[in-house]
Each structure stands twice: as structure tokens, then as C-alpha cells.
Amino acid sequence: WHLWQDESKSSIRMPPSLKDKCYEAFVSAMPTVSALQDDVSLELASMGLHPEKEVLTSSGYSLDSVVEVNVRKIGIEVEGPSHFVGRKPTGSTI
């Protein structure tokens, strides 16, 4: 909700104490790393990149990996088929 309000440039604001509590609850969850994420990180490393895993952004979101290419940091999200079509992969997502 808070990010949406910021994105839409709304004048509606969350009370600071509630915003802080929400942020702490959001960032306190331990991320889980999938086998696919590990595979992607290994491939990035084999290309000479040095992926940082589960990088926390200032907004509280975690990026699966961050690599540096030509002095620019690039965030990478690894999403398998279950992120798009329930829990069972379908032919159109594989």
C-alpha cells in the first residue's frame, strides 16, 4: 500500500510509527533460495560475474541476485513457472 501511494504520488500517508512497524515486519522475513536461483547464480559466476544473493533494497524488497556489469549494478529476479501458473508448470510456461 505504502509503495503504491508513493508510486502514484498520492498525498495520503501512513503514520510514521505504523510505516516503521510495517517495514520491520516486511524485512524480517527470511528469504528462501530455490534450486533454480542457485543454478542461475552458478551460471552467472561461470560467466565471470560475482552475484550477490538476496540483496535487500532500501524499499525492503529483496533481489535474488545483483551483478555488476560495466560499473552498473543489475538486479536479477529468478521466477520459475509456479510464479505464473499456480503450482503446476504448463507447456506454455516451460
Side-chain angles (χ1 to χ4, degrees):
W1 181 86
H2 175 71
L3 290 174
W4 174 248
Q5 295 304 318
D6 283 349
E7 185 71 25
S8 64
K9 309 258 189 273
S10 171
S11 62
I12 300 170
R13 292 289 175 241
M14 187 180 292
S17 62
L18 180 57
K19 179 182 169 187
D20 292 343
K21 286 179 183 178
C22 290
Y23 178 82
E24 289 305 317
F26 187 54
V27 299
S28 68
M30 294 299 297
T32 56
V33 178
S34 70
L36 178 59
Q37 281 177 255
D38 280 335
D39 290 346
V40 170
S41 290
L42 287 171
E43 287 300 318
L44 292 168
S46 76
M47 296 166 48
L49 300 170
H50 306 283
E52 290 178 67
K53 292 183 183 180
E54 298 301 328
V55 177
L56 189 65
T57 68
S58 61
S59 64
Y61 283 95
S62 176
L63 296 170
D64 292 338
S65 293
V66 172
V67 295
E68 191 170 313
V69 178
N70 298 327
V71 195
R72 294 188 75 182
K73 289 193 174 194
I74 299 171
I76 298 171
E77 277 296 304
V78 179
E79 308 297 356
S82 64
H83 284 273
F84 304 103
V85 187
R87 296 290 175 202
K88 289 188 177 184
T90 66
S92 62
T93 62
I94 296 178

